[in-house]
Amino acid sequence: MSERKKVFIKTYGCQMNVYDTARMKDVLAPLGYAAVETPAGADLVVLNTCHIREKAAEKVYSDLGRLRPLAAEKAEAGGRMLVAVAGCVAQAEGEAMKKRAPIVDIVLGPQTYHRLPEMVARALRDEGAVFDTEFPVEPKFDFLPPPGAEGPSAFLAIQEGCDRFCTYCVVPYTRGAEYARPAADVLAEAKRLVATGARELTLLGQNVNAWAADGWSFGRLLRELAEIDGLARLRYTTSHPLAVDDELIAAHRDVAKLVPFLHLPIQSGSDRVLKAMNRGHTAADYLRTVERLRAARPDLAMSSDFIVGFPGETDAEFAETLAVIREVGFIQAFSFKYSARPGTPAALMPNRVPQEVAEARLAAVQAALGELQAAFNAGCVGRVLPVLFDRPGRHPGQLIGRSPTMQAVHAEAPADAMGTVRPVRIVGVGPNSLAGELLSGDEREAAE
Ligand code: SAH
Ligand code: SF4
Ligand code: F3S
């Protein structure tokens, strides 16, 4: 092992990037790189970027600008700060990044980060800027070291890429074609994560419920994972409505460890807009899927993604989105103003919605979603929820955990409650969290 060096990795975008950042730390550790929390003084800075909307992509360049004085300081002290750009902006822009930001030494895509050590070595040998944004034939997963302890709640990437080509979206271009990891690899990684302390697994994929491998459906995979002793909860994200099949619905009925919470993007409530988006489903199809899921799991809470101001979206079409939001009663959602992305079909569509109209629609969607969320949270007061404690609280003696429906719950709890699921009575609602009290031993017995 070489001398200790410092790597700072900044993560933008989705949970897949969070997972990838952890894996990059794993591949760099054997080279002597220890992860640090700030870029100042780092020997290697990696920006793990997101291309989904213009704002996210542009942020990378301002962050690169901010690295310049830090790299100069490092050089003055006789060292060298290597700068690598990874992730989806790197994949989309490739070598062009170097022209706009000469500080960049390495550009690598989401499918090549298992080769990062080799790229770092080449950059240090001063072979000029190193670019590697291919989609290699060998899946990177075969070359990654097994993940270390990830804490009580761990991510597990089981699927990557997307073949759906929604007309607004860059993901099929930045992440490539759909790839499903073999079932045995997924099971082995899940068991390792649980053996090192994970109580909850969140299965990740851009189109996670399209996973199918070795003759197994996604529903079958969920059943098999639920058999792992010591695992308390299973989640998955992000799923596509068209890939919700009978086996998955049956898994929601039968698999108790599968949380009663599902993030299922709809994007719009207008069939005309959904068609222009190439979503492949109507609003009624989506509602029917939710109905079938709720018939299987009556307490299923729903979350979603929305895009407002898609090209040509009229007031009446937007009103249909608001109607769907009320009809489903989402307890949480992400909503975005449409952002035209280079290379996507929607970027060429006429009838752009003016910014101020899109902004007003975004505010209306967020107000509707906020109301539903507040009502759901208020309805939790007085109930006893199983909470997985996974973080220290704001003061000693307090822990923060998550309910099955992803609400943050604060409670006074002993340190040994960390990493365990405990029954908690909800006693109050804050703007972004719930306040709870651990049940006493007697109460627990009575509840069981
Ligand atoms: N694979 C997932 C997530 C894709 S990205 C899915 O299909 O849902 C996450 C969300 O970003 C999308 O669901 C969509 O709501 C939003 N998004 C994607 N492209 C966008 C764009 N060009 N403008 C605004 N929002 C976008
Ligand atoms: Fe993008 Fe659509 Fe694929 Fe989701 S399903 S990643 S929105 S193309
Ligand atoms: Fe962004 Fe790439 Fe994820 S574009 S949302 S980081 S898949």
Side-chain angles (χ1 to χ4, degrees):
M1 190 142 119
S2 48
E3 62 182 291
R4 298 301 278 169
K5 293 186 213 131
K6 294 185 208 149
V7 56
F8 170 75
I9 310 187
K10 176 166 176 178
T11 311
Y12 311 69
C14 64
Q15 285 144 325
M16 189 66 92
N17 266 11
V18 175
Y19 181 85
D20 290 347
T21 289
R23 299 289 76 73
M24 283 193 262
K25 289 179 186 169
D26 293 344
V27 294
L28 290 167
L31 300 183
Y33 282 96
V36 292
E37 298 298 311
T38 125
D43 301 279
L44 172 63
V45 171
V46 183
L47 303 183
N48 192 13
T49 61
C50 173
H51 198 57
I52 202 83
R53 284 167 290 275
E54 189 179 356
K55 246 200 209 134
E58 283 304 312
K59 181 135 201 333
V60 176
Y61 288 99
S62 53
D63 286 352
L64 283 169
R66 269 195 284 275
L67 287 177
R68 273 212 307 271
L70 298 179
E73 253 170 54
K74 181 87 183 169
E76 266 165 42
R80 177 165 178 201
M81 177 188 278
L82 280 185
V83 176
V85 183
C88 292
V89 177
Q91 188 65 46
E93 299 188 3
E95 304 195 8
M97 293 207 81
K98 174 83 186 165
K99 291 198 191 78
R100 226 179 122 185
I103 191 177
V104 173
D105 299 297
I106 300 172
V107 178
L108 70 156
Q111 304 312 334
T112 53
Y113 61 73
H114 55 298
R115 301 181 190 155
L116 189 51
E118 175 192 322
M119 295 180 227
V120 168
R122 280 174 54 199
L124 286 173
R125 284 201 304 269
D126 262 325
E127 294 178 13
V130 181
F131 303 104
D132 194 348
T133 54
E134 279 170 47
F135 290 109
V137 279
E138 84 271 15
K140 67 173 174 239
F141 294 105
D142 293 348
F143 294 83
L144 294 172
E150 305 268 327
S153 179
F155 289 142
L156 201 181
I158 66 163
Q159 184 277 341
E160 203 171 346
C162 182
D163 297 342
R164 292 243 174 244
F165 291 93
C166 300
T167 53
Y168 50 79
C169 184
V170 294
V171 171
Y173 311 97
T174 62
R175 292 277 168 169
E178 286 178 15
Y179 168 77
R181 292 179 71 188
D185 293 10
V186 173
L187 279 180
E189 187 164 325
K191 284 180 185 155
R192 231 173 0 241
L193 288 167
V194 173
T196 55
R199 292 293 159 264
E200 171 178 274
L201 292 180
T202 303
L203 308 180
L204 296 182
Q206 268 85 37
N207 204 343
V208 70
N209 56 337
W211 182 93
D214 311 306
W216 287 18
S217 67
F218 182 58
R220 166 92 188 270
L221 180 70
L222 291 170
R223 282 174 199 271
E224 301 280 346
L225 288 168
E227 296 295 320
I228 299 175
D229 280 338
L231 178 71
R233 287 178 179 175
L234 263 176
R235 308 179 178 281
Y236 60 92
T237 199
T238 296
S239 41
H240 193 287
L242 285 183
V244 177
D245 61 10
D246 293 348
E247 283 190 61
L248 178 52
I249 290 174
H252 277 279
R253 181 190 63 213
D254 302 333
V255 179
K257 289 181 184 177
L258 200 49
V259 291
F261 177 82
L262 180 60
H263 181 68
L264 190 65
I266 179 171
Q267 315 297 356
S268 167
S270 151
D271 289 346
R272 209 268 318 152
V273 173
L274 287 168
K275 190 149 198 283
M277 288 177 165
N278 190 33
R279 287 290 295 178
H281 60 81
T282 62
D285 294 335
Y286 182 93
L287 293 171
R288 214 169 304 121
T289 299
V290 171
E291 201 178 292
R292 292 178 63 217
L293 283 159
R294 281 181 170 159
R297 183 84 204 236
D299 58 344
L300 187 72
M302 299 294 302
S303 151
S304 203
D305 287 346
F306 295 92
I307 296 177
V308 301
F310 189 78
E313 184 187 65
T314 64
D315 283 337
E317 287 165 348
F318 173 66
E320 293 181 286
T321 297
L322 287 177
V324 158
I325 289 174
R326 297 218 173 79
E327 177 145 6
V328 176
F330 295 102
I331 68 153
Q332 188 216 293
F334 301 102
S335 44
F336 312 98
K337 265 187 303 178
Y338 168 73
S339 169
R341 306 306 291 128
T344 60
L348 305 173
M349 289 181 186
N351 304 322
R352 289 283 188 87
V353 172
Q355 273 303 310
E356 59 282 8
V357 174
E359 258 149 43
R361 288 179 187 168
L362 186 66
V365 158
Q366 291 182 343
L369 289 164
E371 253 172 55
L372 289 167
Q373 181 167 31
F376 182 78
N377 287 346
C380 291
V381 175
R383 287 175 57 198
V384 174
L385 302 177
V387 173
L388 171 59
F389 288 105
D390 60 356
R391 275 171 292 161
R394 293 201 199 99
H395 56 259
Q398 191 190 54
L399 292 179
I400 304 176
R402 295 232 175 237
S403 70
T405 45
M406 286 301 259
Q407 298 137 299
V409 181
H410 299 238
E412 302 301 311
D416 68 357
M418 184 68 137
T420 68
V421 178
R422 301 282 175 104
V424 173
R425 172 165 294 110
I426 304 305
V427 295
V429 192
N432 295 308
S433 63
L434 305 176
E437 287 169 358
L438 277 193
L439 293 200
S440 67
D442 292 349
E443 279 180 299
R444 226 155 58 208
E445 263 168 45
E448 274 162 10

